[in-house]
Amino acid sequence: GFSTFSGGFVGVDIFFVISGYLITTILLKQMANGTYTLADFYERRARRLLPALLLVILSTYPFAWILMLPDFLQNFGQSVVATLLFSNNILLAKTSGYWDLESNFKPLLHTWSLGVEEQFYIVFPLILSAIWRFKRHWQLTSIALIGIASIMAAEQGWRNSPAVSFYLPTTRAWELMAGCAAAYLRPSQHTLDDALSGLGLLGILSAVFLYDSSTPSPSLYMALPVLGTVLILLSSRPGTVAFRLLSIRPMIGIGLISYSVYLWHQPIMALTRV
């Protein structure tokens, strides 16, 4: 609701890049060391995400039951089931424009991005296991091809069915693949690191301040914050301006509580509006 930060929604695009980078880095290390197992990977992801998510859902339910009218409550119940199945993004894509419920009144609207992330967690380790036997550059080529197909789908999606395209993993996969590709690119320290990481930070901030609700998402417009995030991941080394800005105590503090704040903000604001 702050017009100055009208492009703040690109935070989710940044999040997908970081998630792809982090998961691929972990998987590549474990596969190289021979310590990778699919069960261990899923167990770690579940311990990371589920406890806080379940607490938020359980805390939200009684307030929704007391405050909501039947249609809204029915939609909320469906969202609970879909969220627990990590598919709220699919529910939102299917019901977009049909239920005609204002998104501001949906307490679990924000869990769509967790759905995309979990669907990535399910599929990508299997893909990486399948291509692991090939040489590194072929693995990277495979990731790039998935990304290209996804961004082509995103470009078609926002033109034909923007509300549906917004939630689908197929149109978001290229952002995750950008992070995955970055995990394969481990450049040595370079004299241009300061400029490149600064350019990445500028790209993200430009999107936050210049984009608004009329900016198609996901689309090629999102390449600005996505590539900005990649540049920071690859070039933000100790001593660079971007590193110093992102490692000050308040920024680290925000990072540490970001998942919890993200989970709580939408239920609190939506139920207040209800």
Side-chain angles (χ1 to χ4, degrees):
F2 294 98
S3 58
T4 307
F5 305 102
S6 56
F9 59 85
V10 302
V12 76
D13 305 278
I14 297 165
F15 161 73
F16 285 144
V17 178
I18 296 172
S19 185
Y21 177 81
L22 174 66
I23 295 307
T24 307
T25 300
I26 292 171
L27 290 174
L28 289 177
K29 183 178 180 180
Q30 290 180 343
M31 287 180 172
N33 294 339
T35 58
Y36 165 75
T37 66
L38 199 60
D40 178 66
F41 173 79
Y42 290 151
E43 187 263 342
R44 287 175 178 271
R45 293 301 97 198
R47 282 197 288 116
R48 168 72 179 87
L49 297 175
L50 286 180
L53 177 62
L54 291 174
L55 177 62
V56 169
I57 292 174
L58 288 172
S59 301
T60 303
Y61 213 106
F63 290 98
W65 185 77
I66 292 168
L67 296 172
M68 285 181 163
L69 294 172
D71 284 350
F72 282 84
L73 186 60
Q74 181 184 31
N75 183 263
F76 173 74
Q78 292 171 334
S79 295
V80 169
V81 175
T83 297
L84 292 174
L85 295 174
F86 294 108
S87 59
N88 200 28
N89 59 318
I90 305 299
L91 175 66
L92 287 163
K94 286 176 67 68
T95 59
S96 179
Y98 175 77
W99 294 102
D100 198 27
L101 295 176
E102 288 288 340
S103 60
N104 284 338
F105 295 92
K106 294 182 178 181
L108 297 180
L109 174 77
H110 61 320
T111 61
W112 73 267
S113 63
L114 289 181
V116 172
E117 186 183 21
E118 282 298 318
Q119 289 150 23
F120 165 72
Y121 288 164
I122 292 170
V123 174
F124 185 70
L126 300 176
I127 293 174
L128 197 57
S129 297
I131 63 176
W132 182 249
R133 70 192 71 179
F134 301 113
K135 291 183 179 180
R136 196 175 179 89
H137 70 275
W138 286 117
Q139 296 174 34
L140 185 56
T141 300
S142 301
I143 289 171
L145 290 174
I146 294 171
I148 291 169
S150 173
I151 200 166
M152 289 173 65
E155 281 296 298
Q156 286 296 315
W158 77 260
R159 288 177 169 86
N160 299 313
S161 302
V164 174
S165 177
F166 185 86
Y167 298 111
L168 293 181
T170 49
T171 55
R172 293 285 180 178
W174 69 276
E175 298 172 339
L176 289 151
M177 292 303 107
C180 297
Y184 275 83
L185 306 173
R186 295 175 294 193
S188 56
Q189 193 165 349
H190 198 278
T191 54
L192 292 177
D193 283 343
D194 202 13
L196 291 173
S197 59
L199 188 63
L201 194 58
L202 179 63
I204 290 173
L205 292 174
S206 296
V208 169
F209 288 108
L210 298 178
Y211 288 1
D212 57 30
S213 58
S214 66
T215 306
S217 177
S219 69
L220 278 172
Y221 285 93
M222 296 304 116
L224 183 59
V226 165
L227 294 178
T229 307
V230 169
L231 285 175
I232 289 176
L233 289 172
L234 295 179
S235 304
S236 182
R237 304 179 189 278
T240 62
V241 173
F243 183 93
R244 290 199 295 269
L245 287 172
L246 294 172
S247 60
I248 59 176
R249 190 176 297 274
M251 295 296 284
I252 293 173
I254 291 170
L256 291 173
I257 65 171
S258 61
Y259 178 54
S260 293
V261 172
Y262 170 74
L263 286 180
W264 285 106
H265 87 281
Q266 178 67 12
I268 291 172
M269 293 194 296
L271 289 171
T272 301
R273 295 185 186 108
V274 171

